């Protein structure tokens, strides 16, 4: 894995405006979430930010392994980033609940950034490919 490959993955994710995150709970039950923001962080780390649902955060507390999929379906090219969550940072907190949402299911109240230490970056596409590291 190279820092240059991580940069390319972050650039693609930023251009696309979305990244998929896969986590699993302690029993291995998978969960998929989406993030609109991805950033390159120092020392081969990636940050992903969003108003994540509780399932993603609960999974990371018991199983810090994470997979990020950054894929451009039009060009069928992308990356799968494998790593683990080093920490979760609070970025923004809502200052109250809107009265019109009172009878709706609860929504996340905190925007968070997940800091991912990258272990491996693989090519990702719908076309046949090997899981050889980029």
């Amino acid at each position: 894995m190279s820092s240059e490959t991580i940069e390319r993955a972050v650039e693609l994710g930023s251009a696309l405006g979305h990244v998929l995150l896969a986590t699993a709970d302690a029993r291995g039950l998978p969960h998929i979430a989406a993030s609109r923001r991805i950033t390159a962080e120092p020392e081969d780390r990636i940050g992903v930010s969003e108003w994540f649902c509780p399932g993603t955060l609960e999974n990371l507390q018991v199983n810090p392994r994470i997979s990020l999929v950054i894929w451009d379906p039009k060009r069928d090219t992308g990356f799968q980033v494998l790593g683990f969550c080093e920490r979760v940072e609070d970025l923004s907190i809502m200052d109250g609940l809107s009265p019109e949402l009172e009878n709706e299911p609860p929504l996340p109240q905190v925007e968070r950034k997940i800091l991912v230490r990258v272990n491996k970056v693989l090519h990702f596409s719908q076309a046949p490919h090997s899981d050889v590291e980029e």
Side-chain angles (χ1 to χ4, degrees):
M1 163 200 65
S2 72
S3 295
E4 181 182 298
T5 303
I6 293 171
E7 268 301 319
R8 288 185 10 239
V10 169
E11 287 173 9
L12 179 59
S14 293
L16 293 170
H18 67 275
V19 175
L20 298 177
L21 294 78
T23 60
D25 65 14
R27 298 173 316 209
L29 184 65
H31 180 279
I32 303 292
S35 171
R36 285 180 252 193
R37 275 172 257 135
I38 182 170
T39 55
E41 303 289 334
E43 300 177 16
D44 294 337
R45 290 173 177 82
I46 289 177
V48 286
S49 306
E50 191 57 72
W51 299 83
F52 292 111
C53 62
T56 297
L57 301 171
E58 289 169 8
N59 286 354
L60 291 172
Q61 287 178 3
V62 297
N63 182 354
R65 297 180 194 278
I66 189 167
S67 175
L68 309 176
V69 173
I70 304 154
W71 178 53
D72 179 351
K74 290 181 182 173
R75 296 184 314 157
D76 192 26
T77 187
F79 303 90
Q80 180 177 190
V81 177
L82 304 173
F84 67 91
C85 172
E86 277 195 343
R87 70 178 177 271
V88 178
E89 301 172 359
D90 292 351
L91 300 178
S92 300
I93 300 173
M94 286 198 184
D95 63 355
L97 183 63
S98 174
E100 55 268 6
L101 298 176
E102 193 169 323
N103 295 324
E104 299 294 321
L107 295 173
Q109 299 293 301
V110 180
E111 180 184 22
R112 294 186 166 99
K113 176 163 74 171
I114 299 170
L115 187 65
V116 178
R117 175 176 283 283
V118 178
N119 289 337
K120 198 182 268 192
V121 181
L122 308 174
H123 175 74
F124 184 88
S125 70
Q126 186 175 357
H129 62 280
S130 67
D131 281 337
V132 174
E133 191 168 3
E134 282 279 320

